[in-house]
Amino acid sequence: MSSSEMKQVGSETEHETIDIDQTMIDQLEPTAASPQKPVRGESLFAKDTVSINMPQSDQELRRRTTAGSQKSHEQSKRDYEDMEIYWEDIRYSVMTGSGKNKKELPILKGDAGRAQPGQLVAIMGGSGAGKTTLLNVLAGRVPTGDPTGTILANGKVRDRRKWKRIVGYVEQEDLLYENLTVRETLETAALLRLPSKLYSRKEKLAKVDQVMEQLGISHVADSKIGSSATGGISGGQKKRVSIGIELVTDPGTMFLDEPTTGLDAATANNICDMLKKLARKNGKTIIMTIHMPRETILDMIDKVALMSKGQMVWFGPAKEALAHFERLGHKCPPQTNPADFFLDLIQVDTRDENSQTTAEKLIEEWEKVEEEYIKPIDNDLRETANKQQDALTSKQGRAQIADNWSGDEGKWATSWFSEFSVLLKRNFQQQWRNIPIIIAAFAQQIILCLLIGFVFFRITRDQAGVQNRQGVLFFICINQTFSFLMPIITVFPLERRIIVRERASGSYRTSAAYLAKAVSQFPLACITSFVFAAPVYWLIGLNPSFIRWLLFQIITQCLVFAAQGLGMLIGSSVPNVQMAQVFGPLIVVMFIIFGGNFANQDSIPAVLRWIQWLSLIRYTYGAYMQNEFNGLELDCGSSSGESSGASAGRGCTPLGDDVVKAFGLNSPSVGLCILILLALGLAFHVLAALILRKTTRMRMRVI
């Protein structure tokens, strides 16, 4: 392409869709040098202006043209390749207080703005100014309430289901699986989110390599994410990985909530420089919130939105903001970072009347010049948008809005089985690489096995042995329940936060995620439980029959299955780990009380008797007791027999069957107890999956 043709492409209007084949881009770019970095034209310390000179070729190269090129699936026409987002009169309120003190608290009060392809837009303001709320409204992720106003993407009202799949949202906190490598983390995102209709597995993995190269993290591709306790990649690299998870789908628009939080100045600068290049070279629309940027970061921002008390006081280039405020009598002092000056000026201190008066004056002055910087929506377009918003109230109208967006973004990217297999592999990698936890799990079971085995070593068949058998079997029920319930309720609420993020982007179905989690955790639990139950049976000296030993192992595994289901149910229901640690033991203790050892089942009041039918410990203990005592002949010749029999309330009993009847555990049978344990475990899992689906649903309020 000649230079004259380049100029012709660059002079096209911003609303035309122009594509350039990737081969043409490669030919136009310098081969020996990497893309130029933004160059500051003037020093912020020297003058009260901000000037940014960006390479013009980047803006030209971001446009793609279909003329003379054969489209591949990556170059196919999509509505969101170049996304222009316009918002106008955005208002949002939340309800505070309760009863008579309940009132509506306005957060956003009629904000407007525009973000165009190739631009990096930053929303700034003090704490409580509403910057994160505005970002979430634009992204369609408000947790409560109903925002109002007009938001158009390429001149169209957005479809809720498709919108979440065609944009990227990077949260402030980097929620990642610490035992996965950088490559594995991004590959999981690519395999789940890139449509299988358009991408083969090989192409998805190639996309991951491309994204890592783009983000500058190829050198740590095989390093584990890690944590503060175990080490791993740096904070800046984790942020790049979080961005990469969204970038693998090549979204036209990206939203980032304070991407520089917790990073040092140099790392924060590198992250913003990377975002700037993504915007300019790839034609992406990037909107982020940022708190205290250094001056070099401010240089990279195309448009800054300054907010105070939920309203705009400026939207446009930072250099023009300095001139605007200077006209109002607020000049940026020499040797001062303009970002610090902005925040000092717009931050409202409720204890200072002058601060509030200044903020109100700035809001009033901005309203006078707003239309000079933010062109109002065309009347015809606004009327069309209003009709489309009204249509969203009906099912037919929502279907029509969805049809306005091309592509298959409203459907799942891959099949249910593919989702399950990818998630199952990720869960196995996360679990089996946690070596300290695995060692601790085996050590716990081995130590308990030895402790119980030698405390109750080779118990006799006299009446003292009856008491020992009853006690050790009940203790095994309690031990196995807590051993496999507590690890789940202390970890699953944390992993659920990742599920919330991934579901918000439409990565997979909840059923696939839950089943993959449930299946992945059972093998380790099964093995560690067997390490305990297999030898402890012979150490204690229970019924010396291989069939009885095998039945003991089956009962134990059924208990583990039910306990894990209960743990998943609790972990899915409570909001955090602290609540799980309260309710988990409480529920288990309740099941212990009705487990058949502390209270005779026949003597429990009818109003509370129903609880025993939900107690997994009751069925396990009943099965254990029947498996051990049925057909067992006891010795009544011991001097301790009478005391032992008396303690059981029945005197000396020569038959083990009578002991089981004395505790009211002779029904249901062993086989039925096993089936009920399996049914309880299955019911816990199904209920947990349904609750997880509800508690991880991100509220998508798209206007």
Side-chain angles (χ1 to χ4, degrees):
M1 183 182 290
S2 65
S3 59
S4 61
E5 291 174 323
M6 288 270 305
K7 293 179 181 179
Q8 184 176 358
V9 172
S11 63
E12 297 288 349
T13 60
E14 61 180 342
H15 297 290
E16 292 180 329
T17 303
I18 302 175
D19 288 345
I20 293 180
D21 187 82
Q22 186 63 44
T23 304
M24 300 167 64
I25 293 178
D26 295 337
Q27 292 174 351
L28 287 170
E29 290 181 331
T31 57
S34 59
Q36 294 178 337
K37 294 184 178 180
V39 180
R40 293 179 52 200
E42 298 180 4
S43 171
L44 297 177
F45 292 119
K47 296 183 180 181
D48 298 328
T49 60
V50 178
S51 177
I52 305 173
N53 296 327
M54 294 296 301
Q56 292 298 316
S57 60
D58 281 347
Q59 188 172 5
E60 295 170 353
L61 292 178
R62 72 174 175 80
R63 300 182 177 274
R64 305 174 177 89
T65 181
T66 59
S69 65
Q70 183 68 32
K71 288 187 178 182
S72 67
H73 54 72
E74 288 187 282
Q75 297 166 330
S76 60
K77 177 72 176 98
R78 298 183 300 177
D79 284 322
Y80 53 89
E81 283 181 343
D82 292 325
M83 183 79 75
E84 181 179 23
I85 300 178
Y86 190 99
W87 61 97
E88 183 180 87
D89 195 29
I90 300 299
R91 299 180 184 273
Y92 177 71
S93 302
V94 295
M95 301 304 296
T96 60
S98 59
K100 295 181 179 180
N101 296 325
K102 191 174 183 179
K103 62 179 181 179
E104 189 176 42
L105 177 65
I107 305 297
L108 302 178
K109 307 172 184 177
D111 300 307
R114 174 181 290 184
Q116 296 172 302
Q119 289 185 343
L120 177 61
V121 179
I123 306 173
M124 294 175 56
S127 299
K131 56 184 184 295
T132 299
T133 302
L134 177 59
L135 182 78
N136 289 335
V137 170
L138 296 177
R141 298 195 180 197
V142 287
T144 59
D146 293 302
T148 61
T150 302
I151 301 178
L152 300 178
N154 284 350
K156 297 183 293 186
V157 170
R158 304 169 296 174
D159 173 66
R160 178 176 64 86
R161 293 194 175 188
K162 292 188 177 182
W163 176 253
K164 67 180 181 180
R165 291 181 171 87
I166 64 178
V167 300
Y169 185 95
V170 181
E171 298 180 355
Q172 181 174 343
E173 186 176 358
D174 300 318
L175 299 174
L176 305 167
Y177 284 98
E178 61 186 46
N179 290 321
L180 267 64
T181 66
V182 171
R183 185 187 301 278
E184 290 166 346
T185 300
L186 296 180
E187 284 181 353
T188 299
L191 292 173
L192 290 172
R193 298 180 63 180
L194 289 175
S196 296
K197 291 182 180 179
L198 303 178
Y199 295 84
S200 66
R201 180 181 178 86
K202 183 178 180 180
E203 289 171 326
K204 291 181 179 182
L205 300 183
K207 181 69 174 178
V208 170
D209 291 331
Q210 177 186 343
V211 168
M212 288 193 296
E213 185 69 25
Q214 200 171 16
L215 297 177
I217 52 177
S218 297
H219 63 291
V220 293
D222 298 316
S223 300
K224 287 185 179 181
I225 299 296
S227 64
S228 57
T230 61
I233 61 176
S234 66
Q237 290 166 343
K238 287 181 181 179
K239 180 60 65 178
R240 290 173 185 258
V241 173
S242 296
I243 295 172
I245 290 174
E246 304 300 322
L247 201 59
V248 291
T249 61
D250 195 22
T253 303
M254 293 189 67
F255 299 93
L256 301 97
D257 186 14
E258 299 201 19
T260 60
T261 297
L263 305 178
D264 60 80
T267 303
N269 188 80
N270 291 336
I271 291 293
C272 291
D273 181 62
M274 178 197 66
L275 293 174
K276 181 66 176 180
K277 291 177 181 177
L278 286 175
R280 281 298 176 96
K281 185 174 180 179
N282 295 43
K284 298 189 182 299
T285 305
I286 298 181
I287 305 175
M288 67 177 182
T289 58
I290 193 166
H291 187 56
M292 290 288 291
R294 58 189 286 185
E295 59 165 320
T296 53
I297 293 178
L298 193 62
D299 280 351
M300 303 174 194
I301 298 171
D302 295 293
K303 291 182 181 178
V304 58
L306 301 178
M307 298 186 66
S308 180
K309 300 174 65 174
Q311 292 180 270
M312 291 287 185
V313 298
W314 176 260
F315 186 90
K319 63 177 181 180
E320 296 183 27
L322 290 170
H324 171 73
F325 291 137
E326 185 173 352
R327 287 194 297 269
L328 300 179
H330 305 285
K331 183 177 180 180
C332 180
Q335 306 298 319
T336 301
N337 180 359
D340 295 336
F341 165 71
F342 292 151
L343 291 177
D344 289 342
L345 182 62
I346 63 180
Q347 177 69 50
V348 177
D349 186 349
T350 56
R351 302 168 299 177
D352 185 0
E353 292 186 4
N354 292 332
S355 173
Q356 299 184 54
T357 302
T358 299
E360 292 172 359
K361 181 66 175 177
L362 292 175
I363 294 171
E364 180 182 341
E365 293 297 328
W366 167 245
E367 292 175 349
K368 297 178 181 179
V369 300
E370 181 177 7
E371 290 191 5
E372 297 179 16
Y373 296 91
I374 307 174
K375 183 180 178 181
I377 299 177
D378 181 76
N379 290 333
D380 293 337
L381 183 59
R382 182 184 289 108
E383 183 178 353
T384 302
N386 291 336
K387 290 180 180 179
Q388 290 178 344
Q389 286 181 327
D390 293 338
L392 291 174
T393 57
S394 66
K395 184 177 181 180
Q396 182 179 2
R398 289 192 294 270
Q400 292 176 349
I401 298 300
D403 291 340
N404 290 337
W405 292 86
S406 64
D408 295 327
E409 288 75 22
K411 302 176 182 178
W412 299 107
T414 186
S415 67
W416 185 94
F417 183 78
S418 296
E419 293 175 357
F420 172 75
S421 59
V422 171
L423 293 172
L424 183 64
K425 179 181 178 181
R426 180 176 72 174
N427 288 335
F428 273 128
Q429 290 171 331
Q430 170 66 14
Q431 184 179 56
W432 288 97
R433 290 176 183 175
N434 199 342
I435 303 301
I437 296 299
I438 293 176
I439 293 175
F442 276 99
Q444 178 194 42
Q445 297 300 320
I446 292 172
I447 292 172
L448 285 172
C449 174
L450 296 175
L451 180 62
I452 295 173
F454 288 112
V455 168
F456 296 94
F457 185 72
R458 310 300 297 175
I459 53 180
T460 60
R461 294 193 180 188
D462 57 13
Q463 296 304 300
V466 171
Q467 181 181 0
N468 288 337
R469 281 176 166 81
Q470 295 167 358
V472 72
L473 290 176
F474 196 69
F475 179 81
I476 290 173
C477 293
I478 298 173
N479 167 62
Q480 295 299 94
T481 301
F482 273 109
S483 294
F484 299 101
L485 178 140
M486 294 304 294
I488 294 176
I489 66 175
T490 55
V491 173
F492 192 56
L494 299 176
E495 293 187 3
R496 192 178 62 187
R497 298 170 61 191
I498 300 179
I499 297 176
V500 171
R501 185 202 71 205
E502 293 174 333
R503 281 201 64 198
S505 60
S507 298
Y508 47 72
R509 303 163 181 85
T510 314
S511 57
Y514 183 86
L515 188 60
K517 177 63 180 177
V519 171
S520 65
Q521 66 187 5
F522 188 71
L524 178 61
C526 186
I527 295 171
T528 54
S529 176
F530 185 78
V531 167
F532 167 83
V536 79
Y537 187 94
W538 304 111
L539 285 174
I540 295 172
L542 298 178
N543 201 317
S545 166
F546 176 77
I547 299 299
R548 298 290 180 103
W549 174 85
L550 183 61
L551 197 55
F552 182 85
Q553 307 307 315
I554 294 174
I555 297 168
T556 303
Q557 297 304 328
C558 291
L559 172 61
V560 171
F561 173 71
Q564 288 194 319
L566 180 60
M568 295 285 281
L569 176 58
I570 297 171
S572 301
S573 306
V574 297
N576 50 55
V577 174
Q578 291 75 19
M579 294 287 286
Q581 291 175 334
V582 171
F583 284 100
L586 177 63
I587 293 173
V588 175
V589 168
M590 182 177 66
F591 286 165
I592 290 173
I593 294 175
F594 293 89
N597 184 271
F598 294 139
N600 187 288
Q601 302 298 298
D602 298 329
S603 64
I604 298 175
V607 69
L608 298 175
R609 193 172 298 170
W610 62 271
I611 299 178
Q612 66 177 303
W613 307 122
L614 298 177
S615 173
L616 51 89
I617 293 179
R618 183 257 181 271
Y619 295 108
T620 307
Y621 187 51
Y624 277 160
M625 288 287 285
Q626 292 182 53
N627 184 56
E628 174 62 23
F629 282 100
N630 284 351
L632 184 68
E633 295 183 1
L634 302 173
D635 183 7
C636 287
S638 173
S639 59
S640 61
E642 294 186 15
S643 60
S644 298
S647 67
R650 296 297 181 99
C652 179
T653 55
L655 297 177
D657 302 63
D658 295 333
V659 176
V660 178
K661 292 179 182 178
F663 280 85
L665 297 173
N666 56 313
S667 178
S669 64
V670 175
L672 190 55
C673 282
I674 291 175
L675 291 177
I676 293 175
L677 275 175
L678 292 174
L680 275 177
L682 184 61
F684 289 151
H685 278 293
V686 171
L687 188 57
L690 294 175
I691 293 177
L692 182 69
R693 185 174 185 272
K694 182 177 180 179
T695 56
T696 58
R697 180 186 291 119
M698 173 66 73
R699 189 175 185 271
M700 302 294 293
R701 186 66 175 91
V702 176
I703 59 174

